Amino acid sequence: MKKIFLFMMFLMLPLAVSAKVKVVGTLPVFASIAREVGGERVEVSRLVRPNQDPHFLDAKPTFVVALSQADLLLHGGLELEIGWLPPIVVQARNPKINPNTPGNVDLSQGNHLLEISQGKVDRSLGDVHPMGNPHTWFSPNNVKVMAVNISQHLSALDPEGKAYYAERLKTFVAALNQKIQQWEQQTAGFKGKKVITYHKSLSYFTDWTGLEVIDTVEPKPGIPPSSKHVDELLSEISNSQVKAILMESFYPSKVPEYLAEKAHIPLVQIPSDVGDEGTKGYFELMDRFIEKIKGAL
Amino acid sequence: MKKILWVLFLSLGVGWLSQVPLQAGEKQGTNHTDQEIEAISSQLKNATAPASDQTKSIGPFKYSANQAGLQKLLPDISLIGNFAGAYFSTDPTGATGVDPAKTGFNLQEIELALQSVIDPYLRADVMLAFSEDTVELEEGYFTTLAFPKGFQMRGGKFRLPFGRQNQKHTENWDFADNALMNKYVLGPDGLKELGVEVSYLIPLPFFLQLQGTFSNGDGDASFGGTRKQDFLYQGRLSTSFDVLENSSILFGTSAAFGFNNTGLGNQTQVFGGDVLFKWKPKAYRSLVWQSEYLFRSFEDGSSRQKDGGLYSYVDYQFLKRWHAGMRYDQTGLPSYLIAKEYRVTPALTFNPTEFTRLRVQYEYDKVASLDPIHSAFLQLEFSMGPHGGHPF
């Protein structure tokens, strides 16, 4: 009996020792921003793997464990994770991260949002997000807002670290501003160039760089392409001089590959999140992103 | 020597000179950054403040004058419909629950769900099940949201956490009908009881959950004692961990103790073990292997009866919208009540969108040495509104 007790104590040891703020980000990109801002005062983990579609995820019991021990939950908001996150937040039985508490952070707050539905919506439009397109992190200006948001919440949770977070936030934002300048120079030639994307997930990127998305491989969000839509796309590509097809790496590549081959335009498979293709942080992710698209245009 | 000093002096000077404008530039940059962060901060604060504090009141209730604000407070209302066309070489007899019951068109279930957070401490989920001519409260329970760490309580009518299949609603089944042994032991519609549940997520680095329920025990497939003290006591222990980054495994054991309706004070015990393996190598590729064994022992007048059985199935998602599944059911392990039975069930599922499902299923059912029963189903399911995901 004593042995078992000791063993249990041993297992609980890691919980007792670590006094760091425990942050769980649903997506790797959110976790990565939290790491930048939180530095050594936080312990960050993520739920979704970089090669997965954040809309479709199986909630796993291990997610519940992560959430039950979290001090701060960072999620994308705008119903991005609506299919799987709410039930596991309930199951995590952690009052600190319940909706509308300070530990439950909607990172879309204060973001510049696109595609907010006007009027009545229904699902004949596909899997729509009426409150706005949830793939906000592909605009670096939104990431800046997310970083400030995270730092505010960290400072509230861990007032001793307030100066530390402020300092790190400043460093991150300054570095991001420099990167934005660099990226804006690199993408200066993107303006007005026509592309096709797989899902409506790159709207923030194309809005920022001036790329023009004339259609998506999915006829409607979440609905795989039919052969009729593929024909339409082919004629659109040749009529409007589409330069490239862009897709995140986790989408099925069969139809885009077919389109690219038929229309003789490049298919650009871009890393979908931090960690995909070995990218180590947001800067690397966007560097790779821009480099790949630039190479194809 | 002199030369070296000169070089040193010069290089220092050049270094200092080149440093000066850089520092100035940096300083300007930081000021700008500070201002920018300040601006975003105040913008964020404004975003969280309520847009308008204008209120109207009806009697004692106050609500925001803004119509959109009112709508935001509505509970989530959703409805899931399940229909099946069925063919049986011999139509089933007795209660079939939501399973297709006869050759022809079957309304399996229409489930209306109202779900909402009630206050900072509670949420409630109510699901009404409509069949062709009745409405039944399928589940209606509250869940605590702010109990001391790791504890949670549910109260009301809910599916008891016995094994995996019993906790799942029809729309989450990977097949069109219930598993055989679940039907016999826990009832065609599953074991749903009025009572309370206390569960504890044991604070460990891996998932270990203990659930205990105390309920009326009215389900008459195995329980349904008539004396006032005939309650049902049930528990479950489950654990889960990630095997590799791509896969996870879950083990559970369940037990239920209660009284049955074969005579005053006759007792029933049910035990179960289950295992679930999930593999998800890619965004749209997954494999589920789920198996469950049930064993029942009950007093029936003077004698004690025992029966047991299992099901085991795999469900493979081979394209984003397509699943293929195969299930095997077997009773009489180690003993049976009336006859030994086994069943083989292949199924093919197509989800045109997240909100509709089409499924074809064939069943080969063999009871003792009787002629096998063949059946085939074509199931259609649709879902409207924001239906909250069910627990895994």
Side-chain angles (χ1 to χ4, degrees), chain B residues 124-143:
Chain B
D125 296 81
V126 176
M127 286 107 180
L128 301 170
F130 294 77
S131 59
E132 232 179 309
D133 37 35
T134 57
V135 186
E136 189 207 21
L137 178 65
E138 182 166 15
E139 288 195 286
Y141 58 86
F142 66 82
T143 309

Side-chain angles (χ1 to χ4, degrees), chain B residues 342-356:
Chain B
Y342 76 88
R343 196 168 75 176
V344 182
T345 311
L348 182 68
T349 306
F350 173 56
N351 302 311
T353 64
E354 267 179 280
F355 315 104
T356 45

Side-chain angles (χ1 to χ4, degrees), chain B residues 55-67:
Chain B
T55 53
K56 280 186 183 175
S57 51
I58 297 183
F61 300 108
K62 280 205 161 131
Y63 61 89
S64 158
N66 183 349
Q67 193 63 29

Side-chain angles (χ1 to χ4, degrees), chain A residues 8 11-12 14-15 46 49-53 55-65 68-71 82-83 86-96 98-99 109-111 123 126-127 141 144-145 148-150 152 166 169-171 173-174 177 198 218 222-225 250-252, chain B residues 30 32-34 36-37 40-45 47-48 117 120 123 143-152 199-210 240-242 244-248 250 278 280-284 286 320-321 352-355 383-386 388-392:
Chain A
M8 296 286 271
L11 283 175
M12 286 173 169
L15 305 178
R46 50 116 180 106
R49 273 184 288 128
N51 64 349
Q52 285 182 326
D53 184 343
H55 295 297
F56 301 97
L57 206 75
D58 286 324
K60 289 195 291 186
T62 41
F63 291 177
V64 171
V65 176
S68 74
Q69 295 161 2
D71 299 309
I82 192 155
I88 59 173
V89 170
V90 174
Q91 281 191 301
R93 48 203 95 173
N94 178 356
K96 284 191 234 166
N98 278 338
Q109 258 177 6
N111 284 359
R123 280 166 181 158
D127 191 2
N141 293 310
K144 216 186 289 176
V145 180
V148 176
N149 199 350
I150 292 171
Q152 279 182 359
L169 174 68
K170 207 159 114 183
T171 316
V173 171
N177 275 335
Y198 191 91
E218 290 177 335
I223 295 175
F250 60 75
Y251 289 116
Chain B
T30 33
H32 174 73
T33 312
D34 279 340
E36 200 184 0
I37 290 173
I40 297 174
S41 292
S42 56
Q43 186 192 327
L44 274 169
K45 276 181 193 128
T48 44
V117 171
R123 65 167 288 124
T143 309
T144 63
L145 296 176
F147 258 29
K149 212 164 176 184
F151 281 97
Q152 193 162 58
S199 63
Y200 181 47
L201 185 66
I202 300 165
L204 291 171
F206 59 93
F207 180 86
L208 185 63
Q209 180 176 246
L210 187 62
S240 171
F241 31 90
D242 292 348
L244 296 163
E245 260 256 286
N246 290 335
S247 51
S248 62
L250 181 143
K278 267 190 186 176
K280 192 164 184 177
K282 287 202 237 166
Y284 306 117
S286 64
K320 184 178 176 187
R321 304 192 287 176
T353 64
E354 267 179 280
F355 315 104
S383 146
M384 58 172 96
H390 293 290
F392 42 78

Side-chain angles (χ1 to χ4, degrees), chain B residues 55-346:
Chain B
T55 53
K56 280 186 183 175
S57 51
I58 297 183
F61 300 108
K62 280 205 161 131
Y63 61 89
S64 158
N66 183 349
Q67 193 63 29
L70 247 190
Q71 279 186 4
K72 281 181 187 162
L73 283 170
L74 281 177
D76 287 343
I77 302 168
S78 63
L79 186 142
I80 293 178
N82 244 305
F83 302 88
Y87 162 79
F88 293 93
S89 60
T90 312
D91 274 2
T93 52
T96 54
V98 296
D99 293 354
K102 61 176 203 291
T103 299
F105 299 99
N106 292 267
L107 169 63
Q108 287 190 270
E109 186 184 55
I110 287 184
E111 180 188 302
L112 177 67
L114 299 167
Q115 302 172 290
S116 178
V117 171
I118 305 296
D119 60 20
Y121 317 109
L122 285 184
R123 65 167 288 124
D125 296 81
V126 176
M127 286 107 180
L128 301 170
F130 294 77
S131 59
E132 232 179 309
D133 37 35
T134 57
V135 186
E136 189 207 21
L137 178 65
E138 182 166 15
E139 288 195 286
Y141 58 86
F142 66 82
T143 309
T144 63
L145 296 176
F147 258 29
K149 212 164 176 184
F151 281 97
Q152 193 162 58
M153 195 176 147
R154 285 198 294 166
K157 187 182 182 186
F158 51 91
R159 298 181 157 268
L160 295 191
F162 193 107
R164 287 197 54 79
Q165 175 75 7
N166 190 62
Q167 300 186 61
K168 286 192 186 180
H169 283 235
T170 326
E171 74 269 13
N172 289 331
W173 291 357
D174 288 319
F175 294 85
D177 57 354
N178 203 350
L180 213 50
M181 207 57 203
N182 279 71
K183 208 157 79 181
Y184 294 153
V185 174
L186 303 178
D189 277 334
L191 192 56
K192 298 175 279 195
E193 294 290 341
L194 258 170
V196 291
E197 176 199 64
V198 175
S199 63
Y200 181 47
L201 185 66
I202 300 165
L204 291 171
F206 59 93
F207 180 86
L208 185 63
Q209 180 176 246
L210 187 62
Q211 290 161 287
T213 70
F214 172 49
S215 62
N216 279 349
D218 295 328
D220 55 10
S222 292
F223 303 102
T226 49
R227 300 176 307 167
K228 66 178 177 196
Q229 68 267 44
D230 287 353
F231 288 105
L232 173 60
Y233 307 87
Q234 183 261 327
R236 172 170 172 82
L237 182 69
S238 54
T239 182
S240 171
F241 31 90
D242 292 348
V243 186
L244 296 163
E245 260 256 286
N246 290 335
S247 51
S248 62
I249 197 155
L250 181 143
F251 296 101
T253 61
S254 314
F257 305 93
F259 300 87
N260 64 50
N261 55 10
T262 59
L264 288 186
N266 285 346
Q267 293 184 12
T268 300
Q269 291 97 38
V270 184
F271 302 95
D274 52 271
V275 54
L276 166 76
F277 175 74
K278 267 190 186 176
W279 179 58
K280 192 164 184 177
K282 287 202 237 166
Y284 306 117
R285 216 57 100 245
S286 64
L287 180 89
V288 167
W289 174 55
Q290 182 175 313
S291 302
E292 199 165 334
Y293 174 74
L294 290 174
F295 175 77
R296 168 173 62 177
S297 162
F298 63 96
E299 292 169 341
D300 172 11
S302 54
S303 67
R304 180 169 272 281
Q305 307 270 0
K306 287 172 184 167
D307 67 338
L310 59 77
Y311 74 84
S312 179
Y313 76 73
V314 287
D315 179 77
Y316 179 54
Q317 180 191 21
F318 57 97
L319 285 171
K320 184 178 176 187
R321 304 192 287 176
W322 290 86
H323 291 246
M326 177 69 93
R327 181 179 64 189
Y328 180 75
D329 287 276
Q330 167 90 58
T331 73
L333 301 168
S335 51
Y336 50 86
L337 292 186
I338 300 158
K340 203 168 174 164
E341 179 176 358
Y342 76 88
R343 196 168 75 176
V344 182
T345 311

